[in-house]
Amino acid sequence: MKLPPLKVAQPKSAFAEGNARWTNKDLDPVPRNNRKWGVSSFIAYWISDAFNAATWQFASSIIAIGLTWRESISIVAVSFFIVSIVIAFNGATGVIYHAPFPVLARASWGFWGSYVAIISRAILAIFWFAIQTMNGANTVRVMLGAIWPSFLTLPNHIPVNQGITTNTMISFVLFWLIQVPFLYMHPNNLRWLFMVKSIIVPIAWIAILIWAFRSTGGGEIFDQKATITGSAYSWAYLASMTSVIGNYATLSVNQADFSRYSRVSVKWQLLYVPMLPIIFTFISFIGIAASSAGAQKYGVLEWDPMALISNWESRACRFFAAFSFALAALGVNISANSLSAANDLTALFPQYVNIRRGQLLCAVLSWALVPWKILASAGSFLNFMSAYSVFLGPIAAIMVMDFWVVHARKYDALALYQPGSIYRYWDGVNWRAIVAFVVGVAPNLPGFIASINPNVNAGVGVRPYQFGWLLGFTATAGVYTSLSLVFKARETFIERAVLPDEIYDLDAEVVEGVPIKDEEGGRDRLGLGEMRLDEKKGGKSWADRLL
């Protein structure tokens, strides 16, 4: 058996020429013939991404710290309205330049400076992969328990202080293995997974919502009162907002990793602004209603949906409900977590890591994060959610302000792949971005440290951290824009944008290693070898056009 080469293959490309240290095929701009995501693909992607246990757990855990269902709904709606605007702006950049987040970050951070943003985002993506794998493990445990009830009573040989039992560890291994084949799928092929999930999972969860109201008449959900008042109430509200935004802070930074495959107008990115708050608020309401109904019916407020489902008497209902959560965890883990981490790892080690290898490496690293301890309680879950968003808010702010305000939507696509280009800044680092990042992060550090180590008493220093993403984003945006306009890096200001298609049109006899020829043996000047969907036959063609 021949082992695969250590280095990844790099086809001939204008973007890779002389720059093997900074790119490979998966980092190059997506050529026309590989842009297959339509409007339906993005809608299915976001419905798929929204329906996951974390969204359910998040609203329910807000109730667990003393707020009511009303505050929970308003927190989710307002938070996703805010973060959806940032997602739309950074997603639009990906549609225009068809490059991933790590490459686009070079324009504002510099080639070496971009590692600050890349590493910060990679850490959170791998954390989320581990958490979703643990959520998936809990679903597998419930499914296996519904088939073989004795599985739930397996003797435990793992110390109690580890926060996991033998049957749950077996389920973790099984779910982890189930994910592996999907880590090999190209993002264009993942559209089918998102479409399947966006149909099956909502149906199952709406059925759970119906159960919640039918079994208890809505329970006490509309009569709940807040158990905290005064300043504690206000700070809990802000802290919960930070946690909700932190839930998708990573995608506010790296939406370009997915929007780069778009074949439709950049204007469709604006769809996120009304769509995301509606979808996520509805899902959170399902979690709130179900948890409330469970509390009235079973006497315990279960913020973990698997703990709630385990109370059901019908084994078939337990199995199929758990299956919907398993599919939810699988879809979001591949779409939002492993692919995000893979793009970052690819940018860090482009000669040795591509997207496929990066996803596998993410899966291996997830074991080191002991996600069963992260999910041990509602409080620790919220602390984790808040933690890394204080780093991602400033990163998102720098990228939004640099493209839309400072450089007025004018980047040079080829220069993003040339370390000695206009984006070299000072030895590969844009000091303006570093200063703005520090200004945005520094006020949150006392609270950040205290959230990780409860033995540290940060006093009033914890307050900025409780609205850390908002503080970090606004402070960084103001500082970065001011520094960039007062102390201009003049070489980065160009008269017009240089788009990747211009580079492909001018230079390539091949696009990503694929020869481009017309009927007379010359170049295809109409579409660079683009496969026209309207000329393809059969059901696959119809489905491709739909997506």
Side-chain angles (χ1 to χ4, degrees), residues 16 80 82 244 251 335 416 423 442 506:
F80 274 99
I82 294 171
V244 173
L251 283 174
S335 65
L416 291 172
Y423 301 118
L506 289 173

Side-chain angles (χ1 to χ4, degrees), residues 354-435:
N354 55 21
I355 287 181
R356 179 176 293 176
R357 291 182 180 183
Q359 290 192 88
L360 292 172
L361 184 57
C362 170
V364 172
L365 291 174
S366 67
W367 279 91
L369 301 180
V370 288
W372 41 88
K373 289 193 173 182
I374 295 175
L375 294 172
S377 70
S380 66
F381 182 68
L382 284 173
N383 289 340
F384 165 75
M385 296 295 294
S386 300
Y388 256 93
S389 67
V390 303
F391 295 97
L392 296 183
I395 293 172
I398 289 170
M399 297 187 68
V400 168
M401 301 309 292
D402 185 78
F403 182 71
W404 295 97
V405 178
V406 175
H407 287 102
R409 298 171 294 173
K410 297 174 184 176
Y411 283 170
D412 184 333
L414 187 58
L416 291 172
Y417 294 84
Q418 298 173 333
S421 70
I422 60 175
Y423 301 118
R424 184 174 184 271
Y425 293 104
W426 180 71
D427 287 337
V429 177
N430 182 5
W431 63 268
R432 303 158 193 81
I434 299 299
V435 171

Side-chain angles (χ1 to χ4, degrees), residues 68-351:
T68 71
W69 73 275
R70 297 175 182 84
E71 286 85 5
S72 297
I73 290 299
S74 65
I75 286 169
V76 173
V78 173
S79 299
F80 274 99
F81 174 74
I82 294 171
V83 79
S84 67
I85 296 173
V86 182
I87 291 172
F89 274 119
N90 277 329
T93 311
V95 176
I96 295 170
Y97 285 90
H98 299 285
F101 150 75
V103 171
L104 295 172
R106 297 168 185 170
S108 51
W109 291 81
F111 277 72
W112 291 109
S114 67
Y115 279 22
V116 174
I118 293 169
I119 293 172
S120 297
R121 202 282 301 262
I123 291 172
L124 188 59
I126 295 172
F127 257 106
W128 264 115
F129 184 92
I131 286 176
Q132 289 293 353
T133 301
M134 189 61 203
N135 285 332
N138 288 330
T139 67
V140 171
R141 178 175 51 80
V142 173
M143 291 166 66
L144 293 177
I147 300 173
W148 301 290
S150 60
F151 179 76
L152 300 176
T153 58
L154 280 178
N156 180 40
H157 300 289
I158 299 176
V160 175
N161 62 2
Q162 294 304 307
I164 191 171
T165 60
T166 298
N167 54 16
T168 304
M169 180 60 76
I170 292 172
S171 302
F172 185 88
V173 173
L174 289 175
F175 188 80
W176 188 89
L177 291 173
I178 289 170
Q179 293 179 115
V180 172
F182 293 93
L183 301 179
Y184 283 82
M185 294 180 67
H186 188 275
N188 279 328
N189 296 327
L190 286 172
R191 297 173 300 155
W192 305 104
L193 174 62
F194 302 152
M195 183 60 72
V196 170
K197 178 184 169 183
S198 67
I199 295 172
I200 294 176
V201 178
I203 293 173
W205 287 24
I206 290 172
I208 294 175
L209 178 63
I210 294 171
W211 165 84
F213 283 99
R214 284 292 298 258
S215 62
T216 63
E220 300 176 354
I221 187 170
F222 297 110
D223 301 320
Q224 292 174 340
K225 304 293 183 182
T227 59
I228 52 178
T229 58
S231 62
Y233 175 94
S234 301
W235 286 113
Y237 194 99
L238 283 174
S240 297
M241 276 190 63
T242 299
S243 298
V244 173
I245 293 174
N247 190 26
Y248 276 79
T250 180
L251 283 174
S252 71
V253 170
N254 73 293
Q255 182 60 24
D257 287 346
F258 308 96
S259 64
R260 65 188 294 223
Y261 296 99
S262 174
R263 58 178 172 83
V264 296
S265 170
V266 66
K267 295 178 181 179
W268 282 106
Q269 295 297 300
L270 293 173
L271 180 66
Y272 302 155
V273 179
M275 183 176 71
L276 299 192
I278 293 172
I279 294 175
F280 281 90
T281 302
F282 175 65
I283 297 168
S284 298
F285 180 76
I286 295 176
I288 293 167
S291 297
S292 177
Q296 179 169 334
K297 192 174 180 66
Y298 305 114
V300 179
L301 179 62
E302 298 286 7
W303 70 281
D304 180 353
M306 289 303 100
L308 175 64
I309 291 171
S310 296
N311 290 315
W312 294 356
E313 295 181 0
S314 171
R315 290 165 59 183
C317 287
R318 292 204 307 269
F319 177 87
F320 287 110
F323 174 78
S324 74
F325 279 92
L327 182 58
L330 172 64
V332 76
N333 232 10
I334 302 302
S335 65
N337 301 325
S338 67
L339 273 172
S340 299
N343 275 287
D344 294 331
L345 295 171
T346 300
L348 294 173
F349 312 104
Q351 292 179 291

